[in-house]
Amino acid sequence: MMSTVVTRPDPVAAVDWSNAENALGYRPGDVINIGWHCSDRICQEGRAAKTALIWEDAAGASRTYTFDDLRVHSNTIADFLAGLGVQPGERVCLFMDRIPELYFGFLGVLKMGGIAQPLFSAFGDESLMTRLANAGTTAIITQRKHVAKVRKIRAALPDLRHVIVVDAHDAPLREGETAFDLDRAPRVERFEVFPSTAETPSVLHYTSGTTGLPKGAQHVHYSLISQYLTAKVVLDLKENDIYWCNADPGWVTGTSYGIIGPWSNGTTQVVLDSGFSADRWYAFLAKHRVTVWYSAPTAIRLLMREGAAVAKHHDLSALRHLASVGEPLNAEAVIWSRETFGHPFHDTFWQTETGCIVITNLPGMPIKPGSMGKPFPGITAAVIDPKTYEPCTAPGRVGLIGLRPGWPSMIRGYWHNPDGYARKFVNGWYLCGDRASIDPDGYFWFVGRDDDVINTGGHLVGPFEIESALLEHPAVAESAAVATPDLVNMEVVKAFVALKPGITGDEDLELDIMNFVRKRLSPLAMPQAIEFVTSLPKTRSGKIVRRVLRAQEFGEPVGDISTLMDE
Ligand code: 6R9
């Protein structure tokens, strides 16, 4: 019988992590620093004058930077941080819109040996607070428009010694805040890059699970090996490509494939710091003659909703390779993109924890629309039986996605949470928390998450964080946050709320609660619907059973409810 442990897709059977080590000139024990590899090394290879970044904002302002600019600007920020006394190993949070300083700052933090902690600028003060407190962050680099959120929580963050504002210009700052202006700062041509080695911590990304607050996924500099190779092979990056990854670096896609992957390959990339608009996006693709585009299913569904005709107004003939990540890529989206752009979106599956693409449709591999493809060479993936924790041998059986640990970009732990990390491993497999099946040809088919995490528009939000925020609202006694279906975002947050005695729920209260969560957490975490209930389904030990509510929302069978409390 055919085994459903799949290790190698056919088209690139010769690809191996050692290819990346050789290409990057890395030998075990060498110094390896992502910041240096993405800038200085490219310059040393004779590509200093090559364009690294073309940046544009919502208003149409645009700036272009070479790899030498990347080198010098990241040096300048690294030198500035070191000058403030920020030490190697300390966490430096990047809390900015997608402005050039975010990208240079990311490389600069890594160059001085700090741990880069990127967070979405859309986060409210409570989301920010949770993550800065957990990481014991020393410095935060932000913009004037976001500094108020930092001010609100600063007194509760004793480790936060430096608040750096990149666009203060001559506006007054508060005591303990420091202005940094890249255009005015003396250019630092030479900076002694921190001699990090393979296991030196590099990036800390916060990701949501079912229980507890978000966990800090801790990456190391050696992750570069995986990110370099998967960007080159899966995204098919070539010397003359113009590459666009429309992910924000607050999300792992925006760092692994919005900074490290492309720049370690010396690829020119474009960044659009602006919200979604089909016309704007197509105009951007056309203007810059983008050749490789890495996007996400929700964005693709939004484009589909606008209709193929909008695309026809723009010259998208430069596009040659499309890829997608973050949520299930439905078959219709693959077929639509083939018809509209002449190229199908290639699905890629991975996680904050994996650091790189692990299951994918490689370029040249026949695509089965709706399937995630096969494991990347060097990754051993299987569907694990949830009872025996052995790989399912029968094709088509649904089980848990399991990966054999040990590839370069796998996280080395959750920050200050070794137990949480240990719980992800069973019987020698790292369990992703997702369910899938494998067909007789070895293609993986995503089925759903195996926990209560809500995937809204490709962003994971944890029910615990939302419920904690809900409980702070004066009218709320108890709550459960679950996913409810949505045409564009696939899932959105719905909250079931039991009110305190004497309070009745009405539309005003509903809006008030929604805004309350939006301000504290983020627009994505905000419940799009609130249902007032008198009680919530619970286990006999008093735990709220979200899966019952979720199943109702999706019209699915509720499953075994024999342990639920009879209310
Ligand atoms: C990169 C990233 C990881 C979770 C993952 C799964 C979902 C990601 C997917 C996908 C179906 C795909 N996911 N890619 N589901 N098809 N191609 O998304 O990281 O934010 O940690 O999310 O996202 O549920 O476990 P992260």
Side-chain angles (χ1 to χ4, degrees), residues 207-208 251-253 294 297 324-329 347-354 359 372 432-434 446 448-449 455 458-460:
T207 182
S208 300
W251 180 33
V252 70
T253 305
Y294 197 19
S324 160
V325 60
E327 355 151 36
L329 180 65
D347 198 4
T348 70
F349 168 89
W350 58 292
Q351 302 183 299
T352 305
E353 287 86 345
T354 68
I359 298 175
M372 306 196 290
C432 295
D434 294 297
F446 187 82
R449 286 210 51 104
N455 186 338
H459 293 277
L460 303 189

PDB file of all heavy atoms in Angstrom, residues 207-208 251-253 294 297 324-329 347-354 359 372 432-434 446 448-449 455 458-460, ligand 1:
ATOM      1  N   THR A 207       1.717  35.043  17.868  1.00  0.00           N
ATOM      2  CA  THR A 207       0.678  34.311  17.144  1.00  0.00           C
ATOM      3  C   THR A 207      -0.354  33.779  18.127  1.00  0.00           C
ATOM      4  O   THR A 207      -0.019  33.471  19.269  1.00  0.00           O
ATOM      5  CB  THR A 207       1.307  33.181  16.299  1.00  0.00           C
ATOM      6  OG1 THR A 207       0.268  32.528  15.564  1.00  0.00           O
ATOM      7  CG2 THR A 207       2.043  32.150  17.146  1.00  0.00           C
ATOM      8  N   SER A 208      -1.599  33.679  17.684  1.00  0.00           N
ATOM      9  CA  SER A 208      -2.695  33.334  18.595  1.00  0.00           C
ATOM     10  C   SER A 208      -2.991  31.847  18.607  1.00  0.00           C
ATOM     11  O   SER A 208      -2.968  31.192  17.576  1.00  0.00           O
ATOM     12  CB  SER A 208      -3.963  34.075  18.173  1.00  0.00           C
ATOM     13  OG  SER A 208      -3.735  35.452  18.213  1.00  0.00           O
ATOM     14  N   TRP A 251       2.849  40.411  10.257  1.00  0.00           N
ATOM     15  CA  TRP A 251       2.503  39.002  10.034  1.00  0.00           C
ATOM     16  C   TRP A 251       3.742  38.329   9.459  1.00  0.00           C
ATOM     17  O   TRP A 251       4.495  38.950   8.704  1.00  0.00           O
ATOM     18  CB  TRP A 251       1.335  38.954   9.037  1.00  0.00           C
ATOM     19  CG  TRP A 251       0.819  37.609   8.669  1.00  0.00           C
ATOM     20  CD1 TRP A 251       0.757  36.503   9.461  1.00  0.00           C
ATOM     21  CD2 TRP A 251       0.264  37.233   7.398  1.00  0.00           C
ATOM     22  NE1 TRP A 251       0.190  35.452   8.764  1.00  0.00           N
ATOM     23  CE2 TRP A 251      -0.120  35.871   7.507  1.00  0.00           C
ATOM     24  CE3 TRP A 251       0.034  37.896   6.190  1.00  0.00           C
ATOM     25  CZ2 TRP A 251      -0.706  35.174   6.455  1.00  0.00           C
ATOM     26  CZ3 TRP A 251      -0.548  37.208   5.149  1.00  0.00           C
ATOM     27  CH2 TRP A 251      -0.925  35.857   5.274  1.00  0.00           C
ATOM     28  N   VAL A 252       3.951  37.069   9.800  1.00  0.00           N
ATOM     29  CA  VAL A 252       5.178  36.372   9.406  1.00  0.00           C
ATOM     30  C   VAL A 252       5.413  36.389   7.890  1.00  0.00           C
ATOM     31  O   VAL A 252       6.555  36.436   7.433  1.00  0.00           O
ATOM     32  CB  VAL A 252       5.165  34.930   9.981  1.00  0.00           C
ATOM     33  CG1 VAL A 252       4.124  34.078   9.286  1.00  0.00           C
ATOM     34  CG2 VAL A 252       6.531  34.293   9.953  1.00  0.00           C
ATOM     35  N   THR A 253       4.333  36.393   7.110  1.00  0.00           N
ATOM     36  CA  THR A 253       4.518  36.434   5.655  1.00  0.00           C
ATOM     37  C   THR A 253       5.259  37.709   5.238  1.00  0.00           C
ATOM     38  O   THR A 253       6.065  37.698   4.314  1.00  0.00           O
ATOM     39  CB  THR A 253       3.149  36.358   4.933  1.00  0.00           C
ATOM     40  OG1 THR A 253       2.478  35.190   5.389  1.00  0.00           O
ATOM     41  CG2 THR A 253       3.310  36.302   3.430  1.00  0.00           C
ATOM     42  N   TYR A 294       2.879  37.665  -4.472  1.00  0.00           N
ATOM     43  CA  TYR A 294       2.523  36.757  -3.360  1.00  0.00           C
ATOM     44  C   TYR A 294       1.383  37.410  -2.593  1.00  0.00           C
ATOM     45  O   TYR A 294       1.564  38.470  -1.997  1.00  0.00           O
ATOM     46  CB  TYR A 294       3.743  36.550  -2.464  1.00  0.00           C
ATOM     47  CG  TYR A 294       3.665  35.344  -1.539  1.00  0.00           C
ATOM     48  CD1 TYR A 294       2.790  34.297  -1.763  1.00  0.00           C
ATOM     49  CD2 TYR A 294       4.524  35.245  -0.451  1.00  0.00           C
ATOM     50  CE1 TYR A 294       2.760  33.187  -0.910  1.00  0.00           C
ATOM     51  CE2 TYR A 294       4.499  34.138   0.405  1.00  0.00           C
ATOM     52  CZ  TYR A 294       3.606  33.117   0.164  1.00  0.00           C
ATOM     53  OH  TYR A 294       3.574  32.026   0.994  1.00  0.00           O
ATOM     54  N   PRO A 297      -5.801  34.583  -0.085  1.00  0.00           N
ATOM     55  CA  PRO A 297      -7.139  34.273  -0.593  1.00  0.00           C
ATOM     56  C   PRO A 297      -8.172  35.381  -0.400  1.00  0.00           C
ATOM     57  O   PRO A 297      -8.983  35.632  -1.290  1.00  0.00           O
ATOM     58  CB  PRO A 297      -7.527  33.014   0.186  1.00  0.00           C
ATOM     59  CG  PRO A 297      -6.224  32.342   0.436  1.00  0.00           C
ATOM     60  CD  PRO A 297      -5.261  33.460   0.726  1.00  0.00           C
ATOM     61  N   SER A 324      -0.117  32.234  -3.121  1.00  0.00           N
ATOM     62  CA  SER A 324      -1.088  32.660  -2.110  1.00  0.00           C
ATOM     63  C   SER A 324      -0.834  31.934  -0.799  1.00  0.00           C
ATOM     64  O   SER A 324      -0.366  30.803  -0.788  1.00  0.00           O
ATOM     65  CB  SER A 324      -2.489  32.325  -2.634  1.00  0.00           C
ATOM     66  OG  SER A 324      -3.429  32.261  -1.583  1.00  0.00           O
ATOM     67  N   VAL A 325      -1.158  32.584   0.311  1.00  0.00           N
ATOM     68  CA  VAL A 325      -0.969  31.981   1.629  1.00  0.00           C
ATOM     69  C   VAL A 325      -1.949  32.527   2.650  1.00  0.00           C
ATOM     70  O   VAL A 325      -2.460  33.630   2.499  1.00  0.00           O
ATOM     71  CB  VAL A 325       0.460  32.245   2.178  1.00  0.00           C
ATOM     72  CG1 VAL A 325       0.735  33.726   2.322  1.00  0.00           C
ATOM     73  CG2 VAL A 325       0.687  31.545   3.528  1.00  0.00           C
ATOM     74  N   GLY A 326      -2.175  31.769   3.704  1.00  0.00           N
ATOM     75  CA  GLY A 326      -2.854  32.298   4.873  1.00  0.00           C
ATOM     76  C   GLY A 326      -4.144  31.599   5.217  1.00  0.00           C
ATOM     77  O   GLY A 326      -4.517  31.518   6.375  1.00  0.00           O
ATOM     78  N   GLU A 327      -4.853  31.109   4.203  1.00  0.00           N
ATOM     79  CA  GLU A 327      -6.128  30.437   4.420  1.00  0.00           C
ATOM     80  C   GLU A 327      -6.351  29.534   3.217  1.00  0.00           C
ATOM     81  O   GLU A 327      -5.604  29.623   2.242  1.00  0.00           O
ATOM     82  CB  GLU A 327      -7.302  31.423   4.530  1.00  0.00           C
ATOM     83  CG  GLU A 327      -6.927  32.851   4.527  1.00  0.00           C
ATOM     84  CD  GLU A 327      -8.000  33.744   3.941  1.00  0.00           C
ATOM     85  OE1 GLU A 327      -9.188  33.472   4.131  1.00  0.00           O
ATOM     86  OE2 GLU A 327      -7.641  34.722   3.284  1.00  0.00           O
ATOM     87  N   PRO A 328      -7.382  28.715   3.294  1.00  0.00           N
ATOM     88  CA  PRO A 328      -7.625  27.823   2.161  1.00  0.00           C
ATOM     89  C   PRO A 328      -7.849  28.619   0.872  1.00  0.00           C
ATOM     90  O   PRO A 328      -8.612  29.581   0.861  1.00  0.00           O
ATOM     91  CB  PRO A 328      -8.903  27.079   2.559  1.00  0.00           C
ATOM     92  CG  PRO A 328      -9.059  27.295   4.021  1.00  0.00           C
ATOM     93  CD  PRO A 328      -8.341  28.541   4.382  1.00  0.00           C
ATOM     94  N   LEU A 329      -7.166  28.222  -0.172  1.00  0.00           N
ATOM     95  CA  LEU A 329      -7.346  28.860  -1.480  1.00  0.00           C
ATOM     96  C   LEU A 329      -8.359  28.023  -2.241  1.00  0.00           C
ATOM     97  O   LEU A 329      -8.052  26.900  -2.662  1.00  0.00           O
ATOM     98  CB  LEU A 329      -6.000  28.903  -2.218  1.00  0.00           C
ATOM     99  CG  LEU A 329      -6.015  29.540  -3.601  1.00  0.00           C
ATOM    100  CD1 LEU A 329      -6.372  31.026  -3.522  1.00  0.00           C
ATOM    101  CD2 LEU A 329      -4.663  29.364  -4.286  1.00  0.00           C
ATOM    102  N   ASP A 347      -0.992  27.706  -4.341  1.00  0.00           N
ATOM    103  CA  ASP A 347      -1.216  27.733  -2.894  1.00  0.00           C
ATOM    104  C   ASP A 347       0.076  27.369  -2.159  1.00  0.00           C
ATOM    105  O   ASP A 347       0.856  26.528  -2.626  1.00  0.00           O
ATOM    106  CB  ASP A 347      -2.324  26.732  -2.530  1.00  0.00           C
ATOM    107  CG  ASP A 347      -2.911  27.001  -1.151  1.00  0.00           C
ATOM    108  OD1 ASP A 347      -2.521  28.006  -0.516  1.00  0.00           O
ATOM    109  OD2 ASP A 347      -3.763  26.210  -0.711  1.00  0.00           O
ATOM    110  N   THR A 348       0.286  28.029  -1.018  1.00  0.00           N
ATOM    111  CA  THR A 348       1.425  27.692  -0.151  1.00  0.00           C
ATOM    112  C   THR A 348       0.881  27.617   1.267  1.00  0.00           C
ATOM    113  O   THR A 348       0.133  28.491   1.693  1.00  0.00           O
ATOM    114  CB  THR A 348       2.546  28.753  -0.209  1.00  0.00           C
ATOM    115  OG1 THR A 348       2.104  29.958   0.435  1.00  0.00           O
ATOM    116  CG2 THR A 348       2.964  29.067  -1.636  1.00  0.00           C
ATOM    117  N   PHE A 349       1.224  26.574   1.970  1.00  0.00           N
ATOM    118  CA  PHE A 349       0.762  26.390   3.358  1.00  0.00           C
ATOM    119  C   PHE A 349       1.958  26.476   4.290  1.00  0.00           C
ATOM    120  O   PHE A 349       2.991  25.838   4.061  1.00  0.00           O
ATOM    121  CB  PHE A 349       0.097  25.019   3.520  1.00  0.00           C
ATOM    122  CG  PHE A 349      -0.146  24.640   4.958  1.00  0.00           C
ATOM    123  CD1 PHE A 349      -1.322  25.001   5.594  1.00  0.00           C
ATOM    124  CD2 PHE A 349       0.819  23.944   5.690  1.00  0.00           C
ATOM    125  CE1 PHE A 349      -1.545  24.661   6.931  1.00  0.00           C
ATOM    126  CE2 PHE A 349       0.611  23.610   7.022  1.00  0.00           C
ATOM    127  CZ  PHE A 349      -0.574  23.975   7.638  1.00  0.00           C
ATOM    128  N   TRP A 350       1.825  27.257   5.341  1.00  0.00           N
ATOM    129  CA  TRP A 350       2.863  27.300   6.372  1.00  0.00           C
ATOM    130  C   TRP A 350       2.331  28.101   7.541  1.00  0.00           C
ATOM    131  O   TRP A 350       1.159  28.489   7.547  1.00  0.00           O
ATOM    132  CB  TRP A 350       4.174  27.866   5.831  1.00  0.00           C
ATOM    133  CG  TRP A 350       4.129  29.258   5.242  1.00  0.00           C
ATOM    134  CD1 TRP A 350       3.492  29.638   4.092  1.00  0.00           C
ATOM    135  CD2 TRP A 350       4.769  30.423   5.766  1.00  0.00           C
ATOM    136  NE1 TRP A 350       3.696  30.974   3.875  1.00  0.00           N
ATOM    137  CE2 TRP A 350       4.473  31.485   4.877  1.00  0.00           C
ATOM    138  CE3 TRP A 350       5.564  30.685   6.883  1.00  0.00           C
ATOM    139  CZ2 TRP A 350       4.941  32.788   5.088  1.00  0.00           C
ATOM    140  CZ3 TRP A 350       6.032  31.981   7.080  1.00  0.00           C
ATOM    141  CH2 TRP A 350       5.715  33.012   6.191  1.00  0.00           C
ATOM    142  N   GLN A 351       3.175  28.334   8.540  1.00  0.00           N
ATOM    143  CA  GLN A 351       2.731  28.979   9.785  1.00  0.00           C
ATOM    144  C   GLN A 351       3.837  29.881  10.326  1.00  0.00           C
ATOM    145  O   GLN A 351       5.010  29.707   9.985  1.00  0.00           O
ATOM    146  CB  GLN A 351       2.495  27.935  10.861  1.00  0.00           C
ATOM    147  CG  GLN A 351       1.502  26.870  10.545  1.00  0.00           C
ATOM    148  CD  GLN A 351       1.331  25.956  11.742  1.00  0.00           C
ATOM    149  OE1 GLN A 351       2.270  25.322  12.180  1.00  0.00           O
ATOM    150  NE2 GLN A 351       0.129  25.920  12.273  1.00  0.00           N
ATOM    151  N   THR A 352       3.456  30.733  11.253  1.00  0.00           N
ATOM    152  CA  THR A 352       4.443  31.518  11.989  1.00  0.00           C
ATOM    153  C   THR A 352       5.518  30.585  12.541  1.00  0.00           C
ATOM    154  O   THR A 352       6.711  30.869  12.472  1.00  0.00           O
ATOM    155  CB  THR A 352       3.746  32.239  13.168  1.00  0.00           C
ATOM    156  OG1 THR A 352       2.668  33.008  12.638  1.00  0.00           O
ATOM    157  CG2 THR A 352       4.711  33.134  13.914  1.00  0.00           C
ATOM    158  N   GLU A 353       5.084  29.451  13.073  1.00  0.00           N
ATOM    159  CA  GLU A 353       6.011  28.513  13.712  1.00  0.00           C
ATOM    160  C   GLU A 353       6.960  27.857  12.727  1.00  0.00           C
ATOM    161  O   GLU A 353       8.078  27.506  13.079  1.00  0.00           O
ATOM    162  CB  GLU A 353       5.224  27.408  14.452  1.00  0.00           C
ATOM    163  CG  GLU A 353       4.544  27.853  15.736  1.00  0.00           C
ATOM    164  CD  GLU A 353       3.159  28.461  15.499  1.00  0.00           C
ATOM    165  OE1 GLU A 353       2.838  28.808  14.339  1.00  0.00           O
ATOM    166  OE2 GLU A 353       2.402  28.571  16.481  1.00  0.00           O
ATOM    167  N   THR A 354       6.503  27.622  11.488  1.00  0.00           N
ATOM    168  CA  THR A 354       7.380  26.915  10.535  1.00  0.00           C
ATOM    169  C   THR A 354       8.390  27.873   9.911  1.00  0.00           C
ATOM    170  O   THR A 354       9.413  27.428   9.407  1.00  0.00           O
ATOM    171  CB  THR A 354       6.580  26.220   9.413  1.00  0.00           C
ATOM    172  OG1 THR A 354       5.993  27.211   8.575  1.00  0.00           O
ATOM    173  CG2 THR A 354       5.507  25.298   9.969  1.00  0.00           C
ATOM    174  N   ILE A 359       4.258  23.236   2.689  1.00  0.00           N
ATOM    175  CA  ILE A 359       3.498  22.429   1.720  1.00  0.00           C
ATOM    176  C   ILE A 359       3.071  23.381   0.607  1.00  0.00           C
ATOM    177  O   ILE A 359       2.577  24.475   0.891  1.00  0.00           O
ATOM    178  CB  ILE A 359       2.252  21.777   2.370  1.00  0.00           C
ATOM    179  CG1 ILE A 359       2.694  20.827   3.494  1.00  0.00           C
ATOM    180  CG2 ILE A 359       1.426  21.033   1.320  1.00  0.00           C
ATOM    181  CD1 ILE A 359       1.543  20.219   4.292  1.00  0.00           C
ATOM    182  N   MET A 372      -3.465  22.040  -1.531  1.00  0.00           N
ATOM    183  CA  MET A 372      -2.311  22.867  -1.118  1.00  0.00           C
ATOM    184  C   MET A 372      -1.032  22.413  -1.792  1.00  0.00           C
ATOM    185  O   MET A 372      -0.006  23.069  -1.673  1.00  0.00           O
ATOM    186  CB  MET A 372      -2.100  22.761   0.388  1.00  0.00           C
ATOM    187  CG  MET A 372      -3.326  23.077   1.212  1.00  0.00           C
ATOM    188  SD  MET A 372      -2.903  23.377   2.920  1.00  0.00           S
ATOM    189  CE  MET A 372      -2.420  21.743   3.469  1.00  0.00           C
ATOM    190  N   CYS A 432       0.560  20.931  13.566  1.00  0.00           N
ATOM    191  CA  CYS A 432       0.280  22.315  13.171  1.00  0.00           C
ATOM    192  C   CYS A 432      -1.009  22.865  13.780  1.00  0.00           C
ATOM    193  O   CYS A 432      -1.200  24.073  13.816  1.00  0.00           O
ATOM    194  CB  CYS A 432       0.140  22.402  11.655  1.00  0.00           C
ATOM    195  SG  CYS A 432       1.652  22.025  10.778  1.00  0.00           S
ATOM    196  N   GLY A 433      -1.919  21.949  14.179  1.00  0.00           N
ATOM    197  CA  GLY A 433      -3.223  22.425  14.659  1.00  0.00           C
ATOM    198  C   GLY A 433      -4.236  22.514  13.521  1.00  0.00           C
ATOM    199  O   GLY A 433      -5.268  23.155  13.652  1.00  0.00           O
ATOM    200  N   ASP A 434      -3.921  21.857  12.403  1.00  0.00           N
ATOM    201  CA  ASP A 434      -4.812  21.858  11.238  1.00  0.00           C
ATOM    202  C   ASP A 434      -5.129  20.421  10.855  1.00  0.00           C
ATOM    203  O   ASP A 434      -4.365  19.513  11.144  1.00  0.00           O
ATOM    204  CB  ASP A 434      -4.121  22.533  10.040  1.00  0.00           C
ATOM    205  CG  ASP A 434      -3.885  24.009  10.271  1.00  0.00           C
ATOM    206  OD1 ASP A 434      -4.878  24.740  10.414  1.00  0.00           O
ATOM    207  OD2 ASP A 434      -2.711  24.432  10.315  1.00  0.00           O
ATOM    208  N   PHE A 446      -6.536  20.670   2.462  1.00  0.00           N
ATOM    209  CA  PHE A 446      -6.824  21.280   3.765  1.00  0.00           C
ATOM    210  C   PHE A 446      -8.277  21.048   4.143  1.00  0.00           C
ATOM    211  O   PHE A 446      -9.167  21.170   3.305  1.00  0.00           O
ATOM    212  CB  PHE A 446      -6.547  22.787   3.676  1.00  0.00           C
ATOM    213  CG  PHE A 446      -6.637  23.511   4.979  1.00  0.00           C
ATOM    214  CD1 PHE A 446      -5.567  23.519   5.860  1.00  0.00           C
ATOM    215  CD2 PHE A 446      -7.793  24.203   5.325  1.00  0.00           C
ATOM    216  CE1 PHE A 446      -5.643  24.193   7.074  1.00  0.00           C
ATOM    217  CE2 PHE A 446      -7.879  24.881   6.530  1.00  0.00           C
ATOM    218  CZ  PHE A 446      -6.801  24.878   7.400  1.00  0.00           C
ATOM    219  N   GLY A 448      -9.522  21.930   7.782  1.00  0.00           N
ATOM    220  CA  GLY A 448      -9.913  22.985   8.719  1.00  0.00           C
ATOM    221  C   GLY A 448      -8.963  23.013   9.894  1.00  0.00           C
ATOM    222  O   GLY A 448      -8.064  22.171  10.007  1.00  0.00           O
ATOM    223  N   ARG A 449      -9.156  23.946  10.778  1.00  0.00           N
ATOM    224  CA  ARG A 449      -8.322  23.990  11.967  1.00  0.00           C
ATOM    225  C   ARG A 449      -8.816  22.952  12.969  1.00  0.00           C
ATOM    226  O   ARG A 449      -9.982  22.572  12.961  1.00  0.00           O
ATOM    227  CB  ARG A 449      -8.327  25.395  12.584  1.00  0.00           C
ATOM    228  CG  ARG A 449      -7.482  26.354  11.741  1.00  0.00           C
ATOM    229  CD  ARG A 449      -6.858  27.455  12.548  1.00  0.00           C
ATOM    230  NE  ARG A 449      -6.139  27.022  13.709  1.00  0.00           N
ATOM    231  CZ  ARG A 449      -4.795  26.963  13.794  1.00  0.00           C
ATOM    232  NH1 ARG A 449      -4.037  27.261  12.772  1.00  0.00           N
ATOM    233  NH2 ARG A 449      -4.231  26.606  14.916  1.00  0.00           N
ATOM    234  N   ASN A 455      -9.650  32.167  11.830  1.00  0.00           N
ATOM    235  CA  ASN A 455      -8.810  32.665  10.745  1.00  0.00           C
ATOM    236  C   ASN A 455      -9.646  33.647   9.924  1.00  0.00           C
ATOM    237  O   ASN A 455     -10.447  33.261   9.091  1.00  0.00           O
ATOM    238  CB  ASN A 455      -8.336  31.499   9.883  1.00  0.00           C
ATOM    239  CG  ASN A 455      -7.339  31.945   8.835  1.00  0.00           C
ATOM    240  OD1 ASN A 455      -7.283  33.122   8.463  1.00  0.00           O
ATOM    241  ND2 ASN A 455      -6.540  31.019   8.332  1.00  0.00           N
ATOM    242  N   GLY A 458      -7.209  35.537   6.667  1.00  0.00           N
ATOM    243  CA  GLY A 458      -5.812  35.096   6.710  1.00  0.00           C
ATOM    244  C   GLY A 458      -5.119  35.438   8.013  1.00  0.00           C
ATOM    245  O   GLY A 458      -3.972  35.074   8.209  1.00  0.00           O
ATOM    246  N   HIS A 459      -5.800  36.126   8.908  1.00  0.00           N
ATOM    247  CA  HIS A 459      -5.172  36.473  10.185  1.00  0.00           C
ATOM    248  C   HIS A 459      -5.763  35.642  11.308  1.00  0.00           C
ATOM    249  O   HIS A 459      -6.977  35.552  11.443  1.00  0.00           O
ATOM    250  CB  HIS A 459      -5.356  37.962  10.492  1.00  0.00           C
ATOM    251  CG  HIS A 459      -4.600  38.811   9.533  1.00  0.00           C
ATOM    252  ND1 HIS A 459      -3.263  39.088   9.687  1.00  0.00           N
ATOM    253  CD2 HIS A 459      -4.971  39.384   8.377  1.00  0.00           C
ATOM    254  CE1 HIS A 459      -2.850  39.813   8.682  1.00  0.00           C
ATOM    255  NE2 HIS A 459      -3.868  40.011   7.867  1.00  0.00           N
ATOM    256  N   LEU A 460      -4.878  35.058  12.098  1.00  0.00           N
ATOM    257  CA  LEU A 460      -5.361  34.231  13.198  1.00  0.00           C
ATOM    258  C   LEU A 460      -5.689  35.121  14.384  1.00  0.00           C
ATOM    259  O   LEU A 460      -4.872  35.944  14.788  1.00  0.00           O
ATOM    260  CB  LEU A 460      -4.283  33.236  13.621  1.00  0.00           C
ATOM    261  CG  LEU A 460      -3.735  32.300  12.554  1.00  0.00           C
ATOM    262  CD1 LEU A 460      -2.836  31.248  13.206  1.00  0.00           C
ATOM    263  CD2 LEU A 460      -4.852  31.615  11.776  1.00  0.00           C
TER     264      LEU A 460
HETATM  265  C1  6R9 B   1       1.847  31.985   7.080  1.00  0.00           C
HETATM  266  C2  6R9 B   1       0.692  31.984   8.035  1.00  0.00           C
HETATM  267  C3  6R9 B   1      -1.028  29.692  10.092  1.00  0.00           C
HETATM  268  C4  6R9 B   1      -2.370  29.026   9.887  1.00  0.00           C
HETATM  269  C5  6R9 B   1      -2.275  27.588   9.512  1.00  0.00           C
HETATM  270  C6  6R9 B   1      -3.591  27.386   8.803  1.00  0.00           C
HETATM  271  C7  6R9 B   1      -3.762  28.686   8.039  1.00  0.00           C
HETATM  272  C8  6R9 B   1      -1.999  29.133   6.265  1.00  0.00           C
HETATM  273  C9  6R9 B   1      -2.857  28.103   4.565  1.00  0.00           C
HETATM  274  C10 6R9 B   1      -3.722  27.938   5.663  1.00  0.00           C
HETATM  275  C11 6R9 B   1      -5.153  26.668   4.395  1.00  0.00           C
HETATM  276  C12 6R9 B   1      -3.231  27.499   3.325  1.00  0.00           C
HETATM  277  N1  6R9 B   1      -3.157  28.595   6.694  1.00  0.00           N
HETATM  278  N2  6R9 B   1      -1.810  28.854   4.975  1.00  0.00           N
HETATM  279  N3  6R9 B   1      -4.856  27.232   5.584  1.00  0.00           N
HETATM  280  N4  6R9 B   1      -4.389  26.796   3.305  1.00  0.00           N
HETATM  281  N5  6R9 B   1      -2.469  27.619   2.232  1.00  0.00           N
HETATM  282  O1  6R9 B   1      -0.436  32.030   7.615  1.00  0.00           O
HETATM  283  O2  6R9 B   1       1.007  31.928   9.352  1.00  0.00           O
HETATM  284  O3  6R9 B   1      -0.546  33.413  10.712  1.00  0.00           O
HETATM  285  O4  6R9 B   1       0.779  31.523  11.761  1.00  0.00           O
HETATM  286  O5  6R9 B   1      -1.199  31.079  10.277  1.00  0.00           O
HETATM  287  O6  6R9 B   1      -3.066  29.668   8.816  1.00  0.00           O
HETATM  288  O7  6R9 B   1      -4.623  27.255   9.745  1.00  0.00           O
HETATM  289  O8  6R9 B   1      -2.080  26.773  10.634  1.00  0.00           O
HETATM  290  P1  6R9 B   1       0.017  32.046  10.594  1.00  0.00           P
END
